[in-house]
Amino acid sequence: MAGTAAVGWRRPQRVSMQEHMAIDVNPGPIQPIPLISDYFPHFYPFAEPARGAPGPHPAVSPASSAPQHSQTQSQRETQTTAVTTLGTLEFTLLFDADNSALHCTAHCAKGLKPPASGSLDTYVKANLLPGASKASQLRTRTVRGTRGPVWEETLTYHGFTHQDAGHKTLRLCVCEDPRLRPRRRRVPPLGELRVPLRKLVPNRDRSFSVCLEKRRLVSRVAHETKRPERLDTSRGMSLYEVRGTGAEQEVKGTGLGYLGIRQEVAEVAGEERGRILLSLCYSSQRGGLLVGVLRCAHLAPMDANGYSDPFVRLFLHPNVGKKTKYKTSVRKKTLNPEFHEEFFYAGLREELAQKTLLVSVWDYDLGPANDFIGWVQLSGRAGGERQRHWRECLDHSDHRLELWHPLDGRAPLQLSD
């Protein structure tokens, strides 16, 4: 019986690892792989109940792997076609460094993919990231009933500086207007794209024609680095996209990468209180200082509706025995108000050089107290642009100088509602 068993026993057929894994060693041009499992053989016994138990693994010849490779190629082409069928968006960007503005002109879209409803009533929505969503959200008009809408409309971000161009990204979304739908149900965008603004050349426009992509989801790192819950509820939702920045690469390998990202996001969040455009001019004829409050941009939303009702207060101290406090009118439900109001402080230039001008922005409420948004201090003892703005104004009479200043969210002791 031992001899009979020895004669009936057969050595299993040897299969090389390359044949077993069915790997094509010469796939040609490198293309994205939809699923890595497409390159591995599968066996599902539950798919065919009548099938017997599997025997030894058969050898996989190159001829048998050819249909699988062609099927994978067709899947790649299908996926590429699905991406391109979202359409393309043509637009132009211009960074006006002289006026601190970013102009985005939405020209047209081509080959948009119709939604399930079958109607195409579209508009373009723009956001600056990172930042408060409603503070930096602009949109074009709605064009109805076409897969190739033409807008030819310019969206302008005021108060856009070189620092913003270095770390901000412009997100453009082609959206379906929910107001024209029967149920007015909010739907996801038809497609979106993102443009890093650090590559823009100041005072030189640049045209783009970019394919739209599906809406991106916030990554796990972005969830980990979001702001505290109390600040999120008062500031509205913001989208942060933390990637391999220079600050992160410097601390990588030291065990402080996560803390470096948190610190970078905290600095960006501090800038989100907004900024204000002020004009200063010392009038030699009137013998005093003219302070102009022109506009604010990207203010923090303080109300439950995601907006604010901002107004500006001015306080020159010390200024004993004279008019020291002024305030502008209130602008309702906006985060980018325009004031264009001017106020006068009498005094000699030598006296004004020793004083400090406090400019604060508030949100008007019907209750006993208003909400503080941010403030900026201009004086000869301030630093950076705030000191330069104050000194150049007093050194050059009858010369108006306009500058943007970021708002600080920490209220000083001199400010109280």
Side-chain angles (χ1 to χ4, degrees):
M1 292 180 63
T4 306
V7 173
W9 179 81
R10 297 178 57 186
R11 182 183 298 273
Q13 185 178 2
R14 285 178 165 247
V15 180
S16 64
M17 182 60 67
Q18 179 178 346
E19 293 176 339
H20 178 67
M21 305 301 291
I23 298 178
D24 190 353
V25 296
N26 188 15
I30 299 177
Q31 297 181 0
I33 302 175
L35 293 174
I36 193 64
S37 58
D38 292 342
Y39 282 86
F40 293 85
H42 290 79
F43 175 69
Y44 302 100
F46 50 83
E48 299 179 7
R51 192 167 183 177
H57 294 287
V60 181
S61 61
S64 62
S65 63
Q68 183 180 0
H69 180 72
S70 61
Q71 182 180 2
T72 305
Q73 186 71 18
S74 63
Q75 292 177 356
R76 295 174 187 169
E77 296 175 356
T78 303
Q79 185 183 20
T80 305
T81 305
V83 174
T84 57
T85 53
L86 295 179
T88 59
L89 179 64
E90 297 182 3
F91 60 97
T92 301
L93 297 180
L94 172 61
F95 175 28
D96 187 359
D98 299 333
N99 298 316
S100 299
L102 174 66
H103 304 282
C104 175
T105 303
H107 298 296
C108 63
K110 298 180 180 179
L112 294 180
K113 184 178 180 181
S117 61
S119 62
L120 273 179
D121 305 322
T122 56
Y123 65 94
V124 176
K125 181 175 65 175
N127 287 92
L128 280 178
L129 304 177
S133 58
K134 287 189 177 182
S136 63
Q137 180 174 304
L138 301 175
R139 57 161 292 175
T140 65
R141 69 183 190 278
T142 301
V143 177
R144 304 188 61 177
T146 176
R147 295 184 60 185
V150 178
W151 296 282
E152 293 297 341
E153 188 171 346
T154 300
L155 308 176
T156 302
Y157 287 100
H158 296 280
F160 188 83
T161 61
H162 288 275
Q163 183 180 3
D164 296 327
H167 71 271
K168 286 187 178 292
T169 299
L170 179 65
R171 179 177 65 182
L172 296 177
C173 302
V174 178
C175 305
E176 184 184 5
D177 198 335
R179 297 175 296 179
L180 302 179
R181 296 173 60 89
R183 300 181 180 179
R184 293 191 176 185
R185 185 180 60 183
R186 179 169 296 184
V187 295
L190 300 178
E192 72 167 28
L193 57 90
R194 304 192 182 196
V195 182
L197 301 176
R198 61 180 178 273
K199 296 184 179 180
L200 291 181
V201 179
N203 302 322
R204 183 182 302 176
D205 57 350
R206 183 176 177 181
S207 299
F208 298 85
S209 180
V210 185
C211 294
L212 298 172
E213 301 177 355
K214 293 183 179 180
R215 187 173 187 177
R216 300 182 183 180
L217 298 177
V218 183
S219 61
R220 180 178 61 86
V221 178
H223 284 293
E224 292 177 354
T225 57
K226 68 179 181 180
R227 294 164 296 173
E229 182 179 356
R230 180 181 60 84
L231 188 58
D232 278 334
T233 55
S234 63
R235 293 278 296 109
M237 295 301 297
S238 298
L239 178 63
Y240 292 100
E241 191 174 48
V242 181
R243 292 189 176 181
T245 59
E248 179 184 356
Q249 293 176 357
E250 290 179 1
V251 298
K252 186 178 294 185
T254 62
L256 301 177
Y258 179 73
L259 297 178
I261 297 176
R262 291 297 298 269
Q263 182 179 3
E264 182 180 352
V265 174
E267 293 176 357
V268 175
E271 299 176 0
E272 290 180 3
R273 306 303 295 182
R275 55 195 62 184
I276 185 171
L277 178 60
L278 300 174
S279 68
L280 298 180
C281 177
Y282 184 82
S283 176
S284 58
Q285 296 180 355
R286 301 180 60 179
L289 178 66
L290 291 172
V291 181
V293 180
L294 302 182
R295 69 192 310 157
C296 296
H298 313 315
L299 293 181
M302 307 302 294
D303 296 336
N305 58 4
Y307 293 95
S308 295
D309 302 323
F311 68 95
V312 179
R313 285 177 172 173
L314 305 176
F315 176 40
L316 183 66
H317 74 94
N319 201 13
V320 181
K322 298 180 181 180
K323 179 69 174 179
T324 60
K325 296 182 180 181
Y326 295 98
K327 73 175 182 177
T328 66
S329 56
V330 178
R331 297 294 186 265
K332 293 291 185 179
K333 196 179 178 181
T334 178
L335 300 177
N336 300 282
E338 297 185 20
F339 298 99
H340 298 285
E341 300 183 23
E342 196 171 60
F343 306 94
F344 177 74
Y345 288 102
L348 300 177
R349 288 188 296 179
E350 293 76 9
E351 297 177 355
L352 293 174
Q354 304 301 323
K355 298 180 179 181
T356 300
L357 178 65
L358 293 178
V359 182
S360 57
V361 184
W362 300 78
D363 170 51
Y364 176 78
D365 286 334
L366 296 177
N370 299 314
D371 296 330
F372 174 75
I373 297 179
W375 73 291
V376 62
Q377 172 183 327
L378 303 180
S379 67
R381 295 178 295 274
E385 295 292 326
R386 299 171 297 164
Q387 184 185 57
R388 184 177 72 87
H389 197 184
W390 186 258
R391 288 184 174 180
E392 287 189 9
C393 162
L394 299 178
D395 293 342
H396 303 83
S397 300
D398 303 319
H399 175 69
R400 185 180 302 274
L401 181 60
E402 300 179 359
L403 278 181
W404 285 92
H405 298 282
L407 297 176
D408 189 355
R410 297 167 295 179
L413 298 178
Q414 296 89 338
L415 294 180
S416 61
D417 194 22

